[in-house]
Structure formats: C-alpha cells, structure tokens
Amino acid sequence: MSQYDDTRSKIIEAAARLLREDGPAAVTTRGVAEGAGVQAPTIYRLFGDKDGLLDAVAEHVMAGYVSAKAAVVAAASADDADPLDDLRAGWQTQIEFGLANPAIFRLLSDPDRVRHSPAAQDGKRVLASRVHRVAATGRLRVTEQRAVDLIQAAGIGAIQTLLATPREQRDLGLADAVYEAVLRQILTEPPERTDGGVMAAVVAFRAVAPQLDTLSGAEQRLLAEWLDRVIAAIS
C-alpha cells in the first residue's frame, strides 16, 4: 500500500469510528485529524471538505458490507440453497445493518449519494441476483425489476421507521411483517393463480433466457424483448 493510500485509509477509518460512535456532528476536521494522526490540511487535500470525507466513509463501510453479502450469495448459489431462504436472509441482514449503522444508513438514503455510490449500486446488484434466483424457480408474479424495487423500498421504509422510534419502543416484528407483505405482492401461490401460471412461467423463462448460448446475441435480445412485452401485457 502506498503512503497516499495508507494515509487515506487511516483518515477514513478514524472518521468511520467517530461517525459510528457519535454521529455526523462528531466528524470534525480536528477530531478526524487527531484520530488519524495527520494534519488537518491533509484531510482537505485528500477529500476536499467534510461532505467529501463523509462520502468516502459511507462508500468504505458500504463496500465492506456489500462484499460480504456478495460472498453469501455466491455461496448460496454454489450450495444450491433455497432462493427464498437466501432472499429472506438478505432482508434480515439489511435490516440489521441499517439499525446497527444509523449514520451510514442515513447517508446512503440520500438519493444523490446513492446515484453516485458504486457500493450502493453493487448492493442493488446483489439484491437483483437474489431475486433472479427466485425468478428462475417460477415463483415471481412480477418482473424482476419490480420485485427488486419493492424489496428495496420496503427495506428502506422499515429501517427509517424503526430508527425514528425510541429504541425501547421499537416493534422488532415490524420489519418481518413488512417483508411478508412484500412477498404477497411478488410471489405466486399455486392455488390462487388467476392466469393459469402464465406470468410465473414467462418471468422464469425471462430469467434464464440470457443463458441460452445456442442463440446469437441478436436472437437473445429479440427473445428478451418478446418476453418483456408478454410480461407487460399480462401485468
């Protein structure tokens, strides 16, 4: 590691510690400089201002979290674990992370930060891979993108509601109830199907279509377009 990277890493870790322990107000130039053992001008030179430093801290923490999630998804895929169990585990991990890291969660709940955060985008791709595994089993009644958006929106809302409630008054069953409500929106239940299972079958086919290597790239794109049109018409 270069001296530049080492110094940058020390500053980020010092700021992350202050943020985790005392919140954003504690992340002052003086406090971070003392914690990292550097001069204050070094922070300005590397990060520009406090917002730049907070962005770097949020990215650092989120990147570590997403990396761990990606490893879990890869292991679940390799072990052929139940996709629904894996999806639920991902939800629970997200809720736990948000409640354990309120300052980081609030930073990454800012739409402007999310749009420019590689780690946040990687996190959404991990969720999408989990949803994709469910789609491949034929259990989705909605498109993969809609399922991802519903789960993400519900998770953010559940965490925000719990964080806004005094710790001793929090209903920890709230997140589970929200998740079950989302599942009722996105999953099929064979006895209740009204389309003869067509939607689930088409969504499942759409999920595995990119793996049909016998088709050319143009044919795969055309097939995807056709399936998307069928899904849109049934929805």
Side-chain angles (χ1 to χ4, degrees), residues 80-97:
D80 200 27
D82 186 289
L84 285 176
D85 288 345
D86 183 42
L87 187 64
R88 183 180 294 276
W91 170 272
Q92 293 172 338
T93 300
Q94 176 69 18
I95 299 298
E96 291 169 0
F97 175 83

Side-chain angles (χ1 to χ4, degrees), residues 41-130:
T42 302
I43 297 176
Y44 291 111
R45 178 167 54 84
L46 294 179
F47 301 98
D49 55 21
K50 180 178 177 178
D51 280 345
L53 177 57
L54 287 174
D55 283 343
V57 170
E59 191 69 16
H60 171 73
V61 175
M62 187 66 177
Y65 167 66
V66 170
S67 177
K69 284 206 307 181
V72 171
V73 172
S77 299
D79 295 341
D80 200 27
D82 186 289
L84 285 176
D85 288 345
D86 183 42
L87 187 64
R88 183 180 294 276
W91 170 272
Q92 293 172 338
T93 300
Q94 176 69 18
I95 299 298
E96 291 169 0
F97 175 83
L99 296 181
N101 300 273
I104 295 295
F105 172 77
R106 290 187 178 103
L107 285 175
L108 289 171
S109 295
D110 181 341
D112 289 333
R113 278 195 168 93
V114 170
R115 278 195 294 269
H116 298 96
S117 167
Q121 298 307 316
D122 286 345
K124 190 166 186 176
R125 280 190 283 273
V126 170
L127 172 57
S129 69
R130 282 185 156 119

Side-chain angles (χ1 to χ4, degrees), residues 149-161:
D149 290 343
L150 282 169
I151 294 170
Q152 187 174 51
I156 291 172
I159 294 170
Q160 286 179 333
T161 299

Side-chain angles (χ1 to χ4, degrees), residues 136-221:
T137 69
R139 291 296 310 277
L140 283 189
R141 69 165 74 246
V142 298
T143 64
E144 292 182 48
Q145 184 60 56
R146 183 166 179 80
V148 168
D149 290 343
L150 282 169
I151 294 170
Q152 187 174 51
I156 291 172
I159 294 170
Q160 286 179 333
T161 299
L162 290 170
L163 288 177
T165 304
R167 187 182 298 271
E168 66 277 7
Q169 297 177 21
R170 289 176 186 170
D171 175 6
L172 297 182
L174 175 69
D176 290 337
V178 170
Y179 183 69
E180 293 300 328
V182 171
L183 290 186
R184 288 193 290 272
Q185 288 292 315
I186 68 174
L187 295 182
T188 61
E189 292 294 343
E192 300 177 4
R193 290 178 186 168
T194 58
D195 60 5
V198 173
M199 180 58 135
V202 176
V203 171
F205 189 26
R206 178 67 176 84
V208 301
Q211 302 171 22
L212 300 177
D213 296 333
T214 55
L215 300 180
S216 67
E219 289 170 334
Q220 286 184 345
R221 289 190 293 274

